[in-house]
Amino acid sequence: MEKVILIFQILISGLLIALILLQPKSEGLGASFGREEFRFSKRGPEKVVFVATIVLLILFLLGAVINALISLR
């Protein structure tokens, strides 16, 4: 069971890294230092990548908690 969870975490972490690298870099902290481009909603593929990143993050955290609980036994 531990090996399955470790493999699951490795796969999820690889996908999570890929999705984080796919996210646009034009927004965020740069907007607070004078950038005039403000978009208040994500649309299209940008929204899909954003939501998928959140879902994979939650799955990764659940896998880590389950792995920790299994290793306590």
Side-chain angles (χ1 to χ4, degrees):
M1 183 68 173
E2 288 181 38
K3 288 184 182 182
V4 172
I5 298 210
L6 287 175
I7 292 171
F8 173 76
Q9 278 189 299
I10 291 170
L11 291 174
I12 294 295
S13 65
L15 291 172
L16 193 57
I17 290 169
L19 285 177
I20 289 171
L21 291 175
L22 283 174
Q23 291 188 7
K25 298 175 179 99
S26 63
E27 295 179 14
L29 198 56
S32 64
F33 291 113
R35 271 192 87 100
E36 295 180 14
E37 289 182 31
F38 281 108
R39 292 190 342 188
F40 295 107
S41 65
K42 297 181 185 315
R43 297 180 182 172
E46 184 178 337
K47 184 174 183 178
V48 172
V49 169
F50 179 72
V51 171
T53 303
I54 293 173
V55 169
L56 285 178
L57 176 64
I58 291 169
L59 288 174
F60 182 79
L61 290 176
L62 285 175
V65 169
I66 291 171
N67 193 14
L69 292 174
I70 288 175
S71 67
L72 287 177
R73 287 194 222 174

